[in-house]
Amino acid sequence: MNFWSKNKSLIICFGFGFLMMCVFYVELHPLVIASPDDWTYISYSRQAWPMKGAWNPGKVLPETIGGLVGNLSAFLVYPILGDYIRTFSICYGIFFAALAAAYITAFASLVKKCFSLDHIQTLFIAFVFFALNFQLCKVRTINNNHLLSIYGINLGINYSMPTFVCAIMAFYIIKCVAYDDYLNTIKTYDLAYALNMFRSFKSGILFLFLYLCIFSNLITNGTLLAVLGAAFIQRICNDIKTGIRRGFKNWFWRYSAYIAAFVMDLLCGLFELTGGNADLHDDFSLSRAISEYPSTVKTVIDNINKPTFLTIIVIIALSLAISFSAKQKGTNDAERLRKMLIITLSALLIDFIYVSIISIRVGGYIASGMVYNGILIWVVSSGVISCAYIISKIAELRAYIPIIAFILLFVVINIPDNVGNGFGLGDRLYGDNSSAAFYYEESNSLLEQFIDADKNGVESFTLYSKGAVGDCGQWAAYRVRRTLLRHGLIHNVMEVDVQKTN
């Protein structure tokens, strides 16, 4: 009972977020097997350490957990549902809905703790955070991007999942820095204390989480590394400001948590240089990448909803004005607000620089929503942290929570009729299901052709495809074959020729 009363708002937050995103990912925009990579990653499983020479040596998190979800879906859920393709749509939809709900709840936990919000305030702030994740990039009429976008099963595994997990860890670290001062003042430079932490199971879980975040995706792990970098710089500045001087040994232990994360990221980068993916863009010159970089940045800026962005800036400015007022200046909450804003806004800049450096070799990579969404999280987070501080200090705003939430609900639901940055008078939901419907039929067709050929005992056959497998040819068909063999739907290794049909 105590657990429920203490965490009621967070439990409701997770439940609401999970339900809403289940509807979104399972029904409104189902994740259907579409590409050869989708066929690969629903069954692929690797060792849980960086594997030198693999295609993506450092992608431990997506290439273990992503395949685990697919294999459990095939062996446990498919026998119940009886629809192989739909099984993956439902299971991955539920999986990503749980991640999105955990992401929203982690943020709610951060502001609840740091500003002592009550249940109503916590739920309202969680909803504002949820809404702005949709609203910040609402600039297109069709297939609109948002910060909770899942671009397909493979891209969801390799980009969205690492982004969610890194953001959850980052929110936890911000809470530690802002509220508990865990990463600022505890004397981790003491060897005995550091060794004692290694005896803690909780510390072991956190280290596992950190390991999975860093070895997830060299691009998206910037969401976490940017926060660690911002906290690291802030901590050094505090030491300089207070005039604290330490020897190398004490300095090393004091900053050991950060050093461990940075070293792991360096190792991840070195392993990626040995991977099959490393020389994929060798034909794209660095000089060309640098010359095209400004246009890719402009694309990111163009994809930000300007009224929403300006609203966030106003909210941040208002919260800072309140924190520096005579009544609030010097209070713990005001100090926490400023510390959190320094970290989140610094993380925005650091993450942008980090992703730019990592991705510039690939040309316009940063202009992809699945890449820049992890950076824009810090725009939304800064604004909603400021909003949480404001409602915690102005009691009269409580009466306006229902009407603001009602208005925000329809701001989220409606898509602008105009192409641009307006809030719009839209009359439709995000995107459409025509692509999902096409690939559901296409994937079922591929499945039936393989099963029929297997039953007939043929040694080779021609696979007819209207979609991506038909475009890619034989190597894509072999990926489908490998997954069906792994999941036991076929039993013979047949040679396959592919013919594209209209």
Side-chain angles (χ1 to χ4, degrees):
M1 191 65 178
N2 273 337
F3 178 82
W4 162 253
S5 60
K6 184 179 178 181
N7 298 284
K8 176 169 60 176
S9 56
L10 298 180
I11 295 170
I12 294 172
C13 174
F14 181 85
F16 176 80
F18 178 67
L19 179 62
M20 291 299 99
M21 296 316 296
C22 273
V23 172
F24 198 87
Y25 294 145
V26 176
E27 289 299 328
L28 293 179
H29 300 284
L31 305 171
V32 179
I33 303 171
S35 70
D37 284 340
D38 288 347
W39 278 103
T40 299
Y41 281 97
I42 60 174
S43 68
Y44 177 68
S45 184
R46 57 169 281 167
Q47 300 297 344
W49 58 73
M51 296 170 61
K52 180 181 177 182
W55 185 255
N56 292 300
K59 285 189 175 181
V60 175
L61 171 65
E63 294 184 356
T64 53
I65 302 301
L68 179 64
V69 173
N71 287 323
L72 290 176
S73 303
F75 295 125
L76 298 181
V77 182
Y78 165 57
I80 298 172
L81 296 183
D83 186 329
Y84 185 74
I85 306 303
R86 180 65 173 157
T87 292
F88 294 106
S89 293
I90 293 173
C91 291
Y92 277 104
I94 291 172
F95 173 70
F96 286 118
L99 280 179
Y103 160 73
I104 295 164
T105 306
F107 181 83
S109 176
L110 164 66
V111 293
K112 179 179 186 290
K113 180 76 171 178
C114 290
F115 299 130
S116 302
L117 302 183
D118 62 29
H119 294 311
I120 297 297
Q121 292 170 329
T122 302
L123 288 171
F124 173 68
I125 289 300
F127 182 70
V128 173
F129 182 69
F130 174 80
L132 288 186
N133 270 271
F134 280 94
Q135 188 63 27
L136 184 61
C137 294
K138 187 178 287 185
V139 297
R140 299 176 183 143
T141 50
I142 298 176
N143 292 328
N144 183 71
N145 176 53
H146 49 90
L147 303 191
L148 303 179
S149 291
I150 309 293
Y151 297 92
I153 292 176
N154 162 56
L155 295 178
I157 289 171
N158 282 286
Y159 290 91
S160 302
M161 175 169 61
T163 299
F164 284 144
V165 173
C166 286
I168 291 167
M169 185 69 173
F171 293 149
Y172 174 79
I173 289 172
I174 295 172
K175 181 167 63 174
C176 291
V177 172
Y179 189 86
D180 299 321
D181 258 356
Y182 175 80
L183 297 177
N184 274 350
T185 59
I186 286 184
K187 302 182 185 300
T188 54
Y189 54 84
D190 179 77
L191 178 59
Y193 178 83
L195 290 176
N196 188 56
M197 286 190 65
F198 280 99
R199 299 188 185 102
S200 164
F201 182 75
K202 179 182 177 182
S203 296
I205 295 295
L206 291 174
F207 188 74
L208 170 63
F209 213 71
L210 178 64
Y211 169 76
L212 291 175
C213 287
I214 300 298
F215 290 99
S216 59
N217 185 315
L218 202 56
I219 293 288
T220 58
N221 70 10
T223 303
L224 171 61
L225 287 166
V227 166
L228 287 168
F232 180 65
I233 293 169
Q234 185 184 78
R235 188 170 181 178
I236 290 176
C237 291
N238 286 342
D239 279 358
I240 294 172
K241 184 178 178 180
T242 55
I244 297 174
R245 295 179 181 274
R246 296 188 175 89
F248 175 77
K249 180 180 176 181
N250 285 347
W251 182 91
F252 178 83
W253 284 111
R254 180 169 174 77
Y255 296 100
S256 58
Y258 302 99
I259 293 170
F262 299 149
V263 168
M264 280 197 289
D265 188 56
L266 177 61
L267 290 173
C268 183
L270 292 175
F271 274 107
E272 286 296 317
L273 289 175
T274 72
N277 201 19
D279 58 356
L280 194 61
H281 302 278
D282 279 354
D283 58 340
F284 193 89
S285 68
L286 183 60
S287 59
R288 178 186 169 190
I290 292 173
S291 67
E292 294 182 359
Y293 177 73
S295 65
T296 63
V297 174
K298 183 180 182 299
T299 300
V300 177
I301 294 172
D302 290 343
N303 287 343
I304 295 175
N305 184 295
K306 303 307 185 295
T308 301
F309 184 76
L310 292 174
T311 301
I312 288 173
I313 292 175
V314 170
I315 291 172
I316 292 172
L318 180 58
S319 70
L320 287 172
I322 294 172
S323 75
F324 282 109
S325 66
K327 186 176 180 181
Q328 298 298 328
K329 188 176 182 180
T331 62
N332 288 336
D333 282 0
E335 292 291 336
R336 288 186 194 120
L337 170 73
R338 292 193 287 271
K339 188 180 290 186
M340 292 163 77
L341 286 180
I342 288 172
I343 291 176
T344 53
L345 293 175
S346 298
L348 173 64
L349 177 61
I350 293 170
D351 198 5
F352 178 76
I353 294 171
Y354 174 84
V355 173
S356 295
I357 292 171
I358 295 292
S359 66
I360 194 169
R361 185 68 181 82
V362 192
Y365 203 40
I366 196 174
S368 170
M370 61 190 181
V371 174
Y372 69 70
N373 280 351
I375 302 171
L376 295 183
I377 284 173
W378 301 119
V379 176
V380 172
S381 299
S382 299
V384 185
I385 285 169
S386 299
C387 182
Y389 177 76
I390 291 169
I391 70 163
S392 72
K393 297 305 168 189
I394 304 177
E396 292 77 9
L397 289 177
R398 192 181 184 86
Y400 294 93
I401 285 177
I403 190 171
I404 294 172
F406 183 78
I407 291 170
L408 270 179
L409 174 64
F410 287 92
V411 167
V412 171
I413 289 176
N414 291 326
I415 301 297
D417 289 321
N418 58 306
V419 178
N421 289 301
F423 288 105
L425 302 172
D427 60 354
R428 53 190 168 276
L429 296 172
Y430 289 80
D432 60 64
N433 282 336
S434 58
S435 177
F438 169 81
Y439 274 107
Y440 175 77
E441 293 181 6
E442 162 73 0
S443 297
N444 266 316
S445 172
L446 299 179
L447 175 65
E448 290 169 1
Q449 291 178 68
F450 265 101
I451 291 176
D452 287 344
D454 185 63
K455 286 181 178 177
N456 292 330
V458 300
E459 294 183 356
S460 64
F461 74 102
T462 299
L463 184 71
Y464 297 94
S465 169
K466 296 179 180 179
V469 171
D471 294 328
C472 296
Q474 191 176 55
W475 67 267
Y478 287 164
R479 291 192 177 196
V480 180
R481 182 187 68 184
R482 181 171 55 191
T483 287
L484 296 180
L485 284 166
R486 284 172 175 166
H487 290 164
L489 276 80
I490 61 174
H491 301 90
N492 300 309
V493 180
M494 300 164 285
E495 289 301 314
V496 187
D497 291 321
V498 177
Q499 182 172 326
K500 181 67 184 286
T501 58
N502 296 322

